[in-house]
Protein backbone atom coordinates (compact mmCIF):
# COMPACT_ATOMS: atom_id res chain seq x y z
CA UNK A 1 0.00 0.00 0.00
CA UNK A 2 1.41 3.45 -0.91
CA UNK A 3 -0.04 6.83 -0.08
CA UNK A 4 0.49 9.93 -2.20
CA UNK A 5 -0.42 13.26 -0.64
CA UNK A 6 -0.50 16.96 -1.48
CA UNK A 7 -1.31 16.73 -5.17
CA UNK A 8 -3.89 18.47 -7.33
CA UNK A 9 -5.84 17.07 -10.27
CA UNK A 10 -6.56 20.58 -11.55
CA UNK A 11 -4.65 23.82 -11.16
CA UNK A 12 -7.40 25.30 -8.99
CA UNK A 13 -8.50 22.17 -7.18
CA UNK A 14 -7.74 21.62 -3.49
CA UNK A 15 -4.87 19.39 -2.34
CA UNK A 16 -5.71 15.70 -2.46
CA UNK A 17 -4.35 12.32 -1.46
CA UNK A 18 -4.48 8.85 -3.07
CA UNK A 19 -3.97 5.41 -1.62
CA UNK A 20 -2.73 2.71 -4.05
CA UNK A 21 -3.03 -0.97 -3.07
CA UNK A 22 -0.61 -3.90 -3.64
CA UNK A 23 -2.27 -4.67 -6.99
CA UNK A 24 -1.56 -1.13 -8.20
CA UNK A 25 -5.18 0.05 -7.98
CA UNK A 26 -6.54 3.19 -6.41
CA UNK A 27 -8.01 1.96 -3.11
CA UNK A 28 -9.12 5.31 -1.74
CA UNK A 29 -8.67 9.06 -2.16
CA UNK A 30 -9.85 12.29 -0.61
CA UNK A 31 -9.33 16.00 -0.06
CA UNK A 32 -6.90 17.39 2.53
CA UNK A 33 -4.69 15.14 4.67
CA UNK A 34 -4.82 11.32 4.32
CA UNK A 35 -6.82 9.40 6.94
CA UNK A 36 -3.71 7.35 7.67
CA UNK A 37 -0.02 7.82 6.84
CA UNK A 38 3.00 5.56 7.04
CA UNK A 39 6.70 5.51 6.16
CA UNK A 40 5.77 4.95 2.50
CA UNK A 41 3.76 8.15 2.21
CA UNK A 42 5.02 10.23 -0.71
CA UNK A 43 4.61 14.00 -0.53
CA UNK A 44 3.96 15.39 -4.03
CA UNK A 45 4.43 18.97 -2.76
CA UNK A 46 1.37 20.42 -4.47
CA UNK A 47 2.18 19.04 -7.92
CA UNK A 48 -0.48 18.74 -10.58
CA UNK A 49 -1.14 15.08 -11.39
CA UNK A 50 -3.12 13.35 -14.12
CA UNK A 51 -3.75 9.71 -14.97
CA UNK A 52 -0.96 8.01 -16.97
CA UNK A 53 -1.40 8.06 -20.75
CA UNK A 54 -2.84 5.22 -22.82
CA UNK A 55 -1.44 4.83 -26.34
CA UNK A 56 -4.19 2.79 -27.96
CA UNK A 57 -2.58 2.58 -31.41
CA UNK A 58 1.13 2.00 -31.83
CA UNK A 59 3.57 -0.76 -32.76
CA UNK A 60 5.30 -2.00 -29.63
CA UNK A 61 7.55 -4.79 -30.90
CA UNK A 62 8.77 -2.72 -33.91
CA UNK A 63 9.45 0.20 -31.55
CA UNK A 64 11.65 -2.05 -29.43
CA UNK A 65 13.37 -3.68 -32.42
CA UNK A 66 14.33 -0.20 -33.64
CA UNK A 67 15.76 0.56 -30.20
CA UNK A 68 18.01 -2.49 -30.51
CA UNK A 69 19.31 -1.37 -33.92
CA UNK A 70 22.26 0.95 -34.39
CA UNK A 71 20.96 4.53 -34.15
CA UNK A 72 22.64 6.95 -36.57
CA UNK A 73 20.92 10.06 -35.20
CA UNK A 74 24.19 11.45 -33.83
CA UNK A 75 26.05 11.14 -37.16
CA UNK A 76 26.70 14.35 -39.09
CA UNK A 77 28.91 13.04 -41.88
CA UNK A 78 29.62 9.91 -43.89
CA UNK A 79 32.74 9.43 -41.75
CA UNK A 80 30.57 9.47 -38.58
CA UNK A 81 28.23 6.85 -40.07
CA UNK A 82 31.13 4.58 -41.03
CA UNK A 83 32.70 4.94 -37.56
CA UNK A 84 29.43 3.93 -35.89
CA UNK A 85 28.95 0.95 -38.22
CA UNK A 86 32.58 -0.16 -37.69
CA UNK A 87 32.11 0.07 -33.93
CA UNK A 88 28.91 -1.97 -34.11
CA UNK A 89 30.66 -4.59 -36.22
CA UNK A 90 33.35 -4.92 -33.55
CA UNK A 91 30.94 -4.98 -30.58
CA UNK A 92 28.35 -7.37 -32.08
CA UNK A 93 30.24 -9.73 -34.35
CA UNK A 94 27.30 -11.83 -35.65
CA UNK A 95 24.32 -11.54 -37.97
CA UNK A 96 23.04 -8.54 -39.90
CA UNK A 97 24.04 -5.01 -38.97
CA UNK A 98 20.83 -2.98 -39.02
CA UNK A 99 21.05 0.78 -38.59
CA UNK A 100 18.20 3.31 -38.43
CA UNK A 101 17.91 7.11 -38.86
CA UNK A 102 20.33 7.28 -41.80
CA UNK A 103 19.95 10.72 -43.42
CA UNK A 104 22.17 11.67 -46.37
CA UNK A 105 20.60 15.17 -46.43
CA UNK A 106 22.57 15.83 -43.24
CA UNK A 107 25.83 14.37 -44.56
CA UNK A 108 25.79 16.08 -47.98
CA UNK A 109 26.37 12.76 -49.78
CA UNK A 110 25.50 9.08 -49.52
CA UNK A 111 27.52 6.29 -47.98
CA UNK A 112 28.64 3.99 -50.80
CA UNK A 113 28.36 0.25 -51.16
CA UNK A 114 32.18 0.03 -51.40
CA UNK A 115 32.60 1.86 -48.08
CA UNK A 116 30.23 -0.62 -46.39
CA UNK A 117 31.90 -3.60 -48.10
CA UNK A 118 35.23 -2.47 -46.63
CA UNK A 119 33.76 -2.82 -43.13
CA UNK A 120 32.51 -6.31 -43.94
CA UNK A 121 32.20 -8.19 -47.17
CA UNK A 122 30.53 -11.16 -45.41
CA UNK A 123 28.03 -9.66 -42.98
CA UNK A 124 24.97 -8.00 -44.45
CA UNK A 125 24.80 -4.29 -43.55
CA UNK A 126 21.62 -2.28 -44.04
CA UNK A 127 21.22 1.41 -43.16
CA UNK A 128 17.55 2.45 -43.11
CA UNK A 129 16.70 6.00 -44.10
CA UNK A 130 14.97 8.14 -41.48
CA UNK A 131 11.81 8.23 -43.69
CA UNK A 132 11.54 4.42 -43.56
CA UNK A 133 11.11 4.33 -47.36
CA UNK A 134 14.68 3.68 -48.54
CA UNK A 135 18.00 2.28 -47.37
CA UNK A 136 21.65 1.66 -48.29
CA UNK A 137 22.98 -1.92 -48.38
CA UNK A 138 26.36 -3.59 -48.80
CA UNK A 139 26.97 -6.42 -51.25
CA UNK A 140 26.32 -9.15 -48.66
CA UNK A 141 22.85 -7.74 -47.91
CA UNK A 142 21.99 -7.56 -51.63
CA UNK A 143 23.16 -11.15 -52.14
CA UNK A 144 21.18 -12.36 -49.12
CA UNK A 145 18.08 -10.97 -50.85
CA UNK A 146 19.07 -12.58 -54.16
CA UNK A 147 19.72 -9.20 -55.81
CA UNK A 148 22.38 -9.29 -58.58
CA UNK A 149 23.64 -6.82 -61.18
CA UNK A 150 20.96 -7.93 -63.66
CA UNK A 151 18.01 -8.21 -61.22
CA UNK A 152 15.15 -6.13 -62.65
CA UNK A 153 13.56 -3.39 -60.51
CA UNK A 154 10.43 -4.54 -58.63
CA UNK A 155 7.02 -2.86 -59.08
CA UNK A 156 6.86 0.29 -56.99
CA UNK A 157 10.59 0.57 -56.27
CA UNK A 158 14.08 0.46 -57.70
CA UNK A 159 17.71 -0.47 -57.05
CA UNK A 160 20.06 2.51 -57.25
CA UNK A 161 22.85 2.34 -59.86
CA UNK A 162 25.98 4.39 -60.59
CA UNK A 163 26.80 6.10 -63.91
CA UNK A 164 28.01 2.77 -65.35
CA UNK A 165 24.75 1.06 -64.42
CA UNK A 166 26.25 -0.96 -61.54
CA UNK A 167 24.34 -1.43 -58.26
CA UNK A 168 25.38 1.27 -55.76
CA UNK A 169 23.59 -0.17 -52.71
CA UNK A 170 20.76 2.41 -52.71
CA UNK A 171 17.31 0.85 -52.29
CA UNK A 172 14.02 2.64 -52.83
CA UNK A 173 10.49 1.73 -51.72
CA UNK A 174 9.65 -1.88 -52.65
CA UNK A 175 13.33 -2.66 -53.40
CA UNK A 176 14.13 -1.49 -49.87
CA UNK A 177 11.38 -3.76 -48.49
CA UNK A 178 12.66 -6.78 -50.44
CA UNK A 179 16.16 -6.50 -48.98
CA UNK A 180 14.85 -5.65 -45.48
CA UNK A 181 12.63 -8.74 -45.53
CA UNK A 182 15.61 -10.95 -46.42
CA UNK A 183 17.06 -10.47 -42.93
CA UNK A 184 16.11 -13.21 -40.47
CA UNK A 185 13.12 -12.68 -38.17
CA UNK A 186 13.95 -11.84 -34.55
CA UNK A 187 14.15 -14.80 -32.17
CA UNK A 188 11.83 -15.17 -29.17
CA UNK A 189 14.51 -13.79 -26.82
CA UNK A 190 15.14 -10.81 -29.11
CA UNK A 191 11.42 -10.12 -29.22
CA UNK A 192 11.12 -10.22 -25.43
CA UNK A 193 14.09 -7.83 -25.08
CA UNK A 194 12.60 -5.50 -27.68
CA UNK A 195 9.19 -5.41 -25.96
CA UNK A 196 10.84 -4.71 -22.59
CA UNK A 197 12.88 -1.87 -24.12
CA UNK A 198 9.83 -0.41 -25.86
CA UNK A 199 7.94 -0.57 -22.57
CA UNK A 200 10.70 1.30 -20.82
CA UNK A 201 10.89 4.04 -23.43
CA UNK A 202 7.11 4.48 -23.54
CA UNK A 203 6.80 4.48 -19.77
CA UNK A 204 9.36 7.30 -19.71
CA UNK A 205 6.72 9.34 -21.61
CA UNK A 206 4.17 8.60 -18.88
CA UNK A 207 2.38 5.81 -20.78
CA UNK A 208 0.93 2.97 -18.68
CA UNK A 209 -0.87 0.89 -21.29
CA UNK A 210 -0.43 0.57 -25.05
CA UNK A 211 -1.87 -1.37 -27.97
CA UNK A 212 0.19 -3.17 -30.58
CA UNK A 213 -1.80 -2.78 -33.78
CA UNK A 214 -0.22 -5.46 -35.94
CA UNK A 215 0.63 -8.47 -33.82
CA UNK A 216 1.63 -11.35 -36.08
CA UNK A 217 3.81 -9.41 -38.51
CA UNK A 218 6.64 -11.97 -38.06
CA UNK A 219 5.17 -15.04 -36.38
CA UNK A 220 1.99 -14.92 -34.30
CA UNK A 221 2.87 -17.78 -31.93
CA UNK A 222 6.30 -16.33 -31.15
CA UNK A 223 4.88 -12.85 -30.67
CA UNK A 224 2.08 -13.97 -28.33
CA UNK A 225 4.67 -15.82 -26.26
CA UNK A 226 7.06 -12.86 -26.34
CA UNK A 227 4.41 -10.38 -25.11
CA UNK A 228 3.37 -12.79 -22.33
CA UNK A 229 6.96 -13.40 -21.21
CA UNK A 230 7.70 -9.65 -21.29
CA UNK A 231 4.65 -9.07 -19.06
CA UNK A 232 5.83 -11.78 -16.64
CA UNK A 233 9.27 -10.16 -16.51
CA UNK A 234 7.72 -6.85 -15.48
CA UNK A 235 7.38 -4.96 -18.77
CA UNK A 236 6.76 -1.35 -17.75
CA UNK A 237 3.60 -0.97 -19.82
CA UNK A 238 0.51 -3.15 -19.99
CA UNK A 239 0.05 -4.41 -23.56
CA UNK A 240 -3.08 -4.87 -25.67
CA UNK A 241 -2.69 -6.93 -28.84
CA UNK A 242 -4.61 -6.49 -32.08
CA UNK A 243 -3.88 -9.54 -34.23
CA UNK A 244 -3.56 -9.31 -37.98
CA UNK A 245 -6.68 -10.82 -39.53
CA UNK A 246 -4.63 -13.14 -41.73
CA UNK A 247 -2.84 -14.70 -38.77
CA UNK A 248 -6.14 -15.74 -37.16
CA UNK A 249 -8.52 -16.39 -40.05
CA UNK A 250 -6.44 -16.27 -43.22
CA UNK A 251 -3.53 -17.92 -44.95
CA UNK A 252 -1.12 -17.35 -42.04
CA UNK A 253 -3.44 -18.76 -39.36
CA UNK A 254 -2.13 -21.00 -36.59
CA UNK A 255 -3.42 -24.41 -35.63
CA UNK A 256 -6.61 -23.72 -33.63
CA UNK A 257 -5.60 -25.65 -30.50
CA UNK A 258 -2.22 -23.94 -30.39
CA UNK A 259 -3.86 -20.53 -30.84
CA UNK A 260 -6.48 -21.16 -28.12
CA UNK A 261 -3.76 -22.37 -25.81
CA UNK A 262 -1.64 -19.24 -26.36
CA UNK A 263 -4.59 -16.91 -25.77
CA UNK A 264 -5.73 -18.86 -22.70
CA UNK A 265 -2.39 -18.14 -21.06
CA UNK A 266 -3.25 -14.43 -21.05
CA UNK A 267 -5.45 -12.89 -18.38
CA UNK A 268 -8.34 -11.07 -20.05
CA UNK A 269 -9.38 -8.75 -17.19
CA UNK A 270 -9.12 -4.95 -17.72
CA UNK A 271 -6.22 -4.92 -15.26
CA UNK A 272 -4.32 -7.60 -17.21
CA UNK A 273 -0.68 -6.82 -18.02
CA UNK A 274 -1.11 -8.44 -21.45
CA UNK A 275 -4.12 -9.52 -23.45
CA UNK A 276 -5.55 -9.98 -26.93
CA UNK A 277 -7.92 -7.08 -27.57
CA UNK A 278 -9.08 -7.56 -31.15
CA UNK A 279 -8.37 -8.08 -34.82
CA UNK A 280 -6.60 -5.62 -37.13
CA UNK A 281 -7.38 -5.10 -40.82
CA UNK A 282 -5.94 -2.58 -43.30
CA UNK A 283 -8.46 -1.00 -45.68
CA UNK A 284 -6.09 1.31 -47.58
CA UNK A 285 -2.59 2.84 -47.66
CA UNK A 286 -1.23 6.24 -46.66
CA UNK A 287 -1.37 9.83 -47.89
CA UNK A 288 2.39 10.37 -48.35
CA UNK A 289 2.65 7.47 -50.80
CA UNK A 290 -0.65 8.38 -52.55
CA UNK A 291 -2.07 5.01 -51.54
CA UNK A 292 -4.90 6.15 -49.21
CA UNK A 293 -8.22 5.41 -50.94
CA UNK A 294 -9.74 8.86 -51.47
CA UNK A 295 -12.49 10.51 -53.51
CA UNK A 296 -10.96 12.71 -56.21
CA UNK A 297 -7.25 12.60 -56.93
CA UNK A 298 -3.89 13.29 -55.35
CA UNK A 299 -2.27 16.45 -56.59
CA UNK A 300 1.22 15.00 -56.37
CA UNK A 301 0.38 11.45 -57.40
CA UNK A 302 2.91 9.74 -59.63
CA UNK A 303 2.23 6.70 -61.78
CA UNK A 304 5.10 4.78 -60.16
CA UNK A 305 3.67 5.07 -56.65
CA UNK A 306 4.24 2.00 -54.49
CA UNK A 307 1.12 0.06 -55.45
CA UNK A 308 1.59 -3.61 -54.69
CA UNK A 309 0.56 -5.94 -57.46
CA UNK A 310 -1.99 -7.97 -55.48
CA UNK A 311 -3.84 -4.88 -54.29
CA UNK A 312 -7.14 -4.06 -55.88
CA UNK A 313 -6.99 -0.54 -57.28
CA UNK A 314 -9.65 1.69 -55.77
CA UNK A 315 -10.91 2.85 -59.16
CA UNK A 316 -12.35 -0.55 -60.03
CA UNK A 317 -15.06 -0.39 -57.40
CA UNK A 318 -16.52 3.09 -57.28
CA UNK A 319 -18.87 5.14 -59.38
CA UNK A 320 -17.27 8.47 -58.40
CA UNK A 321 -13.68 9.35 -59.23
CA UNK A 322 -11.45 7.72 -56.64
CA UNK A 323 -7.69 7.35 -56.22
CA UNK A 324 -5.29 5.29 -54.18
CA UNK A 325 -5.29 1.68 -53.14
CA UNK A 326 -7.81 -0.60 -51.50
CA UNK A 327 -6.08 -3.48 -49.77
CA UNK A 328 -9.21 -5.62 -50.20
CA UNK A 329 -12.27 -5.36 -52.42
CA UNK A 330 -15.36 -3.97 -50.61
CA UNK A 331 -16.97 -7.44 -50.63
CA UNK A 332 -13.89 -9.12 -49.20
CA UNK A 333 -13.50 -6.43 -46.52
CA UNK A 334 -17.12 -6.92 -45.41
CA UNK A 335 -16.65 -10.69 -45.26
CA UNK A 336 -13.48 -10.36 -43.18
CA UNK A 337 -15.18 -8.02 -40.70
CA UNK A 338 -18.19 -10.33 -40.38
CA UNK A 339 -15.95 -13.38 -39.86
CA UNK A 340 -14.10 -11.74 -36.95
CA UNK A 341 -17.26 -10.14 -35.53
CA UNK A 342 -19.09 -13.47 -35.44
CA UNK A 343 -16.33 -15.03 -33.34
CA UNK A 344 -16.80 -12.15 -30.90
CA UNK A 345 -13.78 -10.00 -31.68
CA UNK A 346 -13.61 -6.25 -31.73
CA UNK A 347 -12.41 -5.24 -35.21
CA UNK A 348 -10.01 -2.35 -35.75
CA UNK A 349 -9.57 -1.05 -39.30
CA UNK A 350 -6.87 1.21 -40.68
CA UNK A 351 -8.74 3.65 -42.94
CA UNK A 352 -7.08 6.91 -43.96
CA UNK A 353 -8.97 8.00 -47.10
CA UNK A 354 -12.63 9.05 -47.20
CA UNK A 355 -13.46 6.41 -49.80
CA UNK A 356 -11.99 3.64 -47.62
CA UNK A 357 -13.90 5.02 -44.64
CA UNK A 358 -17.24 4.66 -46.47
CA UNK A 359 -16.43 1.00 -47.13
CA UNK A 360 -15.38 0.44 -43.51
CA UNK A 361 -18.64 1.96 -42.29
CA UNK A 362 -20.59 -0.30 -44.68
CA UNK A 363 -18.80 -3.31 -43.17
CA UNK A 364 -19.35 -2.14 -39.57
CA UNK A 365 -23.02 -1.50 -40.30
CA UNK A 366 -23.38 -5.04 -41.66
CA UNK A 367 -22.33 -6.46 -38.27
CA UNK A 368 -25.43 -4.95 -36.63
CA UNK A 369 -23.19 -3.77 -33.78
CA UNK A 370 -20.99 -1.01 -35.25
CA UNK A 371 -20.42 0.69 -31.88
CA UNK A 372 -18.24 -2.22 -30.78
CA UNK A 373 -15.61 -1.66 -33.49
CA UNK A 374 -12.94 0.95 -34.12
CA UNK A 375 -11.82 2.94 -37.12
CA UNK A 376 -8.14 3.97 -37.11
CA UNK A 377 -6.95 7.31 -38.50
CA UNK A 378 -10.10 8.44 -40.43
CA UNK A 379 -7.96 11.37 -41.54
CA UNK A 380 -10.18 12.65 -44.35
CA UNK A 381 -13.86 13.06 -43.46
CA UNK A 382 -16.70 14.95 -45.13
CA UNK A 383 -19.57 16.50 -43.12
CA UNK A 384 -21.96 13.81 -44.32
CA UNK A 385 -19.51 11.09 -43.28
CA UNK A 386 -19.30 12.57 -39.80
CA UNK A 387 -23.11 12.42 -39.63
CA UNK A 388 -23.02 8.78 -40.66
CA UNK A 389 -20.22 8.05 -38.21
CA UNK A 390 -22.30 9.57 -35.42
CA UNK A 391 -25.24 7.36 -36.35
CA UNK A 392 -23.17 4.15 -36.36
CA UNK A 393 -20.96 5.31 -33.48
CA UNK A 394 -17.79 3.22 -33.79
CA UNK A 395 -14.74 4.33 -31.79
CA UNK A 396 -12.57 6.78 -33.74
CA UNK A 397 -8.83 7.01 -33.18
CA UNK A 398 -6.72 9.97 -34.31
CA UNK A 399 -2.94 10.49 -34.33
CA UNK A 400 -2.51 14.26 -34.00
CA UNK A 401 1.29 14.08 -33.94
CA UNK A 402 1.07 13.25 -37.69
CA UNK A 403 0.08 16.89 -38.26
CA UNK A 404 3.54 18.03 -37.12
CA UNK A 405 5.60 15.29 -38.73
CA UNK A 406 4.12 14.82 -42.20
CA UNK A 407 2.75 18.29 -43.07
CA UNK A 408 4.97 18.56 -46.12
CA UNK A 409 3.86 15.30 -47.76
CA UNK A 410 0.18 15.92 -46.89
CA UNK A 411 0.34 19.32 -48.58
CA UNK A 412 2.12 17.85 -51.59
CA UNK A 413 -0.41 15.05 -52.07
CA UNK A 414 -3.64 16.83 -51.11
CA UNK A 415 -2.96 20.55 -51.64
CA UNK A 416 -5.42 22.72 -49.71
CA UNK A 417 -7.49 19.70 -48.67
CA UNK A 418 -4.74 18.92 -46.17
CA UNK A 419 -5.93 21.83 -43.96
CA UNK A 420 -8.92 19.73 -42.89
CA UNK A 421 -7.12 16.53 -41.98
CA UNK A 422 -7.97 14.98 -38.59
CA UNK A 423 -11.27 16.77 -37.82
CA UNK A 424 -11.16 16.43 -34.06
CA UNK A 425 -13.59 19.25 -33.23
CA UNK A 426 -16.30 18.14 -35.65
CA UNK A 427 -16.05 14.50 -34.63
CA UNK A 428 -16.20 15.34 -30.90
CA UNK A 429 -19.13 17.71 -31.48
CA UNK A 430 -20.95 14.91 -33.28
CA UNK A 431 -20.74 12.97 -30.01
CA UNK A 432 -18.27 10.30 -31.10
CA UNK A 433 -15.86 8.54 -28.75
CA UNK A 434 -12.39 9.67 -29.78
CA UNK A 435 -9.00 8.46 -28.61
CA UNK A 436 -5.62 9.98 -29.44
CA UNK A 437 -2.57 7.81 -30.05
CA UNK A 438 0.88 7.95 -31.61
CA UNK A 439 1.37 5.09 -34.12
CA UNK A 440 5.02 4.99 -33.06
CA UNK A 441 7.65 4.10 -34.25
CA UNK A 442 6.76 6.19 -37.32
CA UNK A 443 6.71 9.23 -35.00
CA UNK A 444 8.53 9.82 -31.71
CA UNK A 445 5.32 9.21 -29.74
CA UNK A 446 5.51 11.64 -26.82
CA UNK A 447 1.82 12.13 -25.90
CA UNK A 448 2.52 15.78 -25.09
CA UNK A 449 3.43 16.42 -28.75
CA UNK A 450 0.15 14.87 -29.88
CA UNK A 451 -1.87 16.83 -27.33
CA UNK A 452 -0.15 20.08 -28.35
CA UNK A 453 -0.89 19.39 -32.04
CA UNK A 454 -4.57 18.67 -31.33
CA UNK A 455 -5.03 21.79 -29.18
CA UNK A 456 -2.92 24.23 -31.22
CA UNK A 457 -3.16 22.84 -34.71
CA UNK A 458 0.13 23.56 -36.49
CA UNK A 459 0.32 26.26 -39.17
CA UNK A 460 -1.51 25.28 -42.34
CA UNK A 461 -4.26 23.29 -40.60
CA UNK A 462 -7.78 24.59 -40.01
CA UNK A 463 -7.78 25.95 -36.41
CA UNK A 464 -11.56 25.38 -36.18
CA UNK A 465 -10.83 21.64 -35.79
CA UNK A 466 -8.84 22.11 -32.55
CA UNK A 467 -9.98 20.70 -29.20
CA UNK A 468 -9.36 21.85 -25.62
CA UNK A 469 -6.58 20.57 -23.37
CA UNK A 470 -9.11 18.76 -21.19
CA UNK A 471 -10.56 16.99 -24.23
CA UNK A 472 -7.09 16.10 -25.53
CA UNK A 473 -5.95 14.68 -22.20
CA UNK A 474 -9.09 12.63 -21.86
CA UNK A 475 -8.60 11.33 -25.45
CA UNK A 476 -5.03 10.32 -24.60
CA UNK A 477 -5.96 8.66 -21.29
CA UNK A 478 -9.34 7.18 -20.38
CA UNK A 479 -10.69 7.13 -23.95
CA UNK A 480 -7.74 4.92 -24.90
CA UNK A 481 -8.67 2.52 -22.12
CA UNK A 482 -12.28 2.42 -23.32
CA UNK A 483 -11.43 1.81 -26.98
CA UNK A 484 -9.18 -1.07 -25.87
CA UNK A 485 -12.15 -2.64 -24.07
CA UNK A 486 -10.76 -1.94 -20.58
CA UNK A 487 -13.53 0.42 -19.44
CA UNK A 488 -12.16 3.11 -17.11
CA UNK A 489 -9.44 0.92 -15.60
CA UNK A 490 -6.56 2.80 -17.29
CA UNK A 491 -6.21 6.54 -17.66
CA UNK A 492 -8.62 7.62 -14.92
CA UNK A 493 -8.26 8.53 -11.28
CA UNK A 494 -11.21 6.71 -9.78
CA UNK A 495 -11.62 4.08 -7.09
CA UNK A 496 -10.55 0.65 -8.39
CA UNK A 497 -8.76 2.02 -11.46
CA UNK A 498 -5.05 1.77 -12.16
CA UNK A 499 -3.08 3.84 -9.68
CA UNK A 500 -0.53 4.92 -12.31
CA UNK A 501 -0.37 8.65 -12.81
CA UNK A 502 2.06 11.25 -14.05
CA UNK A 503 2.81 14.53 -12.39
CA UNK A 504 3.54 17.68 -14.28
ZN1 LIG B 1 -0.34 1.87 -37.16
Amino acid sequence: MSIYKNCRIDTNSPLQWFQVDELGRIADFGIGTPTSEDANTIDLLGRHIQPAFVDAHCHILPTGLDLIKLHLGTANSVADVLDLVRQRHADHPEGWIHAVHYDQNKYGKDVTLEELDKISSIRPILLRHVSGHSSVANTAALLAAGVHENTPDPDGGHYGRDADGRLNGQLFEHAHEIVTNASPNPTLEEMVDAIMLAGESMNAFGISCASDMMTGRFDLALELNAYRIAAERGCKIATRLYLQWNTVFGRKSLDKDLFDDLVKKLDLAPSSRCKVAGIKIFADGAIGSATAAIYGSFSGATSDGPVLAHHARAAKHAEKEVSGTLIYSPEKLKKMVLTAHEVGYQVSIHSIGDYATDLVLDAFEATGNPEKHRIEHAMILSDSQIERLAKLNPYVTFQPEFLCRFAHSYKKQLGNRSANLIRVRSVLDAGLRVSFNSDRPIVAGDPRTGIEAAVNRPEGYNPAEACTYAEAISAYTVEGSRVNGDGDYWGSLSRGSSGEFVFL
Side-chain angles (χ1 to χ4, degrees):
M1 193 77 87
S2 343
I3 295 162
Y4 299 86
K5 66 173 185 181
N6 294 329
C7 50
R8 299 176 203 277
I9 49 171
D10 237 315
T11 334
N12 300 319
S13 66
L15 288 173
Q16 259 193 269
W17 55 269
F18 286 89
Q19 193 178 51
V20 177
D21 70 15
E22 296 77 18
L23 295 172
R25 298 170 310 198
I26 295 178
D28 204 1
F29 57 84
I31 307 281
T33 32
T35 39
S36 67
E37 284 196 53
D38 57 22
N40 294 326
T41 301
I42 295 159
D43 190 340
L44 292 173
L45 305 168
R47 282 189 180 95
H48 179 180
I49 66 162
Q50 61 155 75
F53 297 108
V54 177
D55 192 344
H57 180 136
C58 62
H59 301 272
I60 301 169
L61 175 59
T63 294
L65 290 171
D66 277 7
L67 291 170
I68 294 172
K69 288 171 187 160
L70 170 61
H71 201 290
L72 299 175
T74 56
N76 289 311
S77 65
V78 163
D80 290 348
V81 172
L82 295 174
D83 281 346
L84 287 166
V85 175
R86 220 173 277 119
Q87 192 59 46
R88 182 76 165 197
H89 177 48
D91 295 346
H92 299 80
E94 267 169 66
W96 284 56
I97 297 177
H98 279 287
V100 294
H101 283 257
Y102 173 84
D103 190 357
Q104 82 287 356
N105 292 322
K106 251 166 65 184
Y107 324 139
K109 56 178 179 170
D110 265 304
V111 170
T112 66
L113 172 124
E114 287 76 26
E115 286 166 330
L116 294 177
D117 280 351
K118 263 186 218 151
I119 297 175
S120 177
S121 57
I122 319 161
R123 293 183 73 183
I125 303 174
L126 193 61
L127 317 181
R128 190 176 77 202
H129 192 264
V130 66
S131 70
H133 287 266
S134 62
S135 49
V136 189
N138 70 345
T139 303
L142 295 176
L143 289 178
V147 177
H148 300 273
E149 285 302 341
N150 43 14
T151 302
D153 286 339
D155 283 342
H158 68 278
Y159 301 106
R161 293 177 187 274
D162 61 20
D164 303 327
R166 296 181 60 82
L167 291 171
N168 66 4
Q170 306 276 337
L171 306 165
F172 299 95
E173 297 287 355
H174 199 201
H176 144 80
E177 286 161 25
I178 287 172
V179 177
T180 305
N181 292 340
S183 76
N185 282 349
T187 62
L188 177 66
E189 263 319 303
E190 284 165 346
M191 286 185 187
V192 175
D193 288 347
I195 294 163
M196 301 290 285
L197 271 177
E200 223 165 276
S201 84
M202 296 177 73
N203 196 244
F205 284 142
I207 295 165
S208 59
C209 181
S211 308
D212 182 75
M213 296 313 288
M214 211 172 144
T215 312
R217 63 193 295 144
F218 300 110
D219 177 314
L220 183 61
L222 274 187
E223 287 166 55
L224 286 171
N225 272 322
Y227 276 104
R228 176 179 53 79
I229 295 167
E232 286 165 6
R233 291 192 192 161
C235 180
K236 291 226 171 133
I237 51 166
T239 52
R240 300 292 175 260
L241 311 178
Y242 282 83
L243 317 182
Q244 281 194 61
W245 191 93
N246 270 325
T247 65
V248 181
F249 302 105
R251 56 194 160 76
K252 287 166 74 189
S253 60
L254 299 176
D255 168 73
K256 190 168 173 341
D257 289 341
L258 170 64
F259 177 72
D260 289 347
D261 188 52
L262 289 166
V263 175
K264 230 184 281 153
K265 285 187 181 149
L266 305 172
D267 169 16
L268 296 180
S271 60
S272 166
R273 296 303 298 175
C274 175
K275 73 175 187 184
V276 171
I279 297 292
K280 174 74 184 291
I281 299 173
F282 282 83
D284 66 347
I287 294 170
S289 46
T291 51
I294 62 166
Y295 291 114
S297 61
F298 292 99
S299 19
T302 53
S303 55
D304 59 30
V307 177
L308 298 181
H310 68 275
H311 291 177
R313 296 301 301 268
K316 276 206 291 205
H317 303 284
E319 282 138 35
K320 291 194 234 174
E321 188 205 354
V322 292
S323 307
T325 304
L326 290 180
I327 310 295
Y328 305 103
S329 70
E331 301 73 37
K332 167 90 178 158
L333 179 70
K334 199 178 280 180
K335 241 191 237 157
M336 290 166 76
V337 170
L338 285 172
T339 301
H341 174 82
E342 275 154 21
V343 179
Y345 283 111
Q346 183 196 42
V347 182
S348 145
I349 308 187
H350 164 115
S351 175
I352 289 190
D354 42 3
Y355 175 44
T357 291
D358 269 343
L359 302 179
V360 169
L361 293 181
D362 289 346
F364 283 171
E365 192 167 19
T367 67
N369 193 6
E371 61 275 13
K372 173 174 181 176
H373 304 297
R374 48 188 282 184
I375 183 162
E376 311 297 316
H377 313 301
M379 291 183 71
I380 305 172
L381 291 173
S382 65
D383 290 344
S384 61
Q385 277 184 316
I386 293 176
E387 269 172 46
R388 186 174 179 215
L389 265 173
K391 227 181 279 157
L392 298 175
N393 199 27
Y395 293 98
V396 179
T397 79
F398 286 135
Q399 296 68 32
E401 190 177 351
F402 286 7
L403 297 178
C404 323
R405 307 279 179 206
F406 307 116
H408 174 76
S409 68
Y410 293 160
K411 183 93 190 161
K412 181 173 157 239
Q413 298 291 6
L414 294 173
N416 291 337
R417 281 176 294 168
S418 70
N420 260 334
L421 289 173
I422 309 191
R423 298 184 63 186
V424 174
R425 181 77 270 147
S426 302
V427 168
L428 281 173
D429 287 347
L432 282 141
R433 299 161 298 170
V434 174
S435 83
F436 289 164
N437 5 90
S438 72
D439 213 0
R440 74 197 329 238
I442 67 164
V443 296
D446 184 338
R448 290 169 300 182
T449 315
I451 287 171
E452 191 55 39
V455 174
N456 296 311
R457 293 184 36 111
E459 171 97 41
Y461 295 104
N462 181 2
E465 291 296 348
C467 65
T468 66
Y469 271 108
E471 286 167 332
I473 288 170
S474 152
Y476 229 128
T477 53
V478 70
E479 291 298 337
S481 180
R482 290 173 183 161
V483 66
N484 283 341
D486 290 331
D488 287 4
Y489 185 79
W490 304 93
S492 81
L493 295 172
S494 50
R495 207 168 265 112
S497 73
S498 160
E500 286 188 61
F501 49 80
V502 292
F503 47 85
L504 309 161

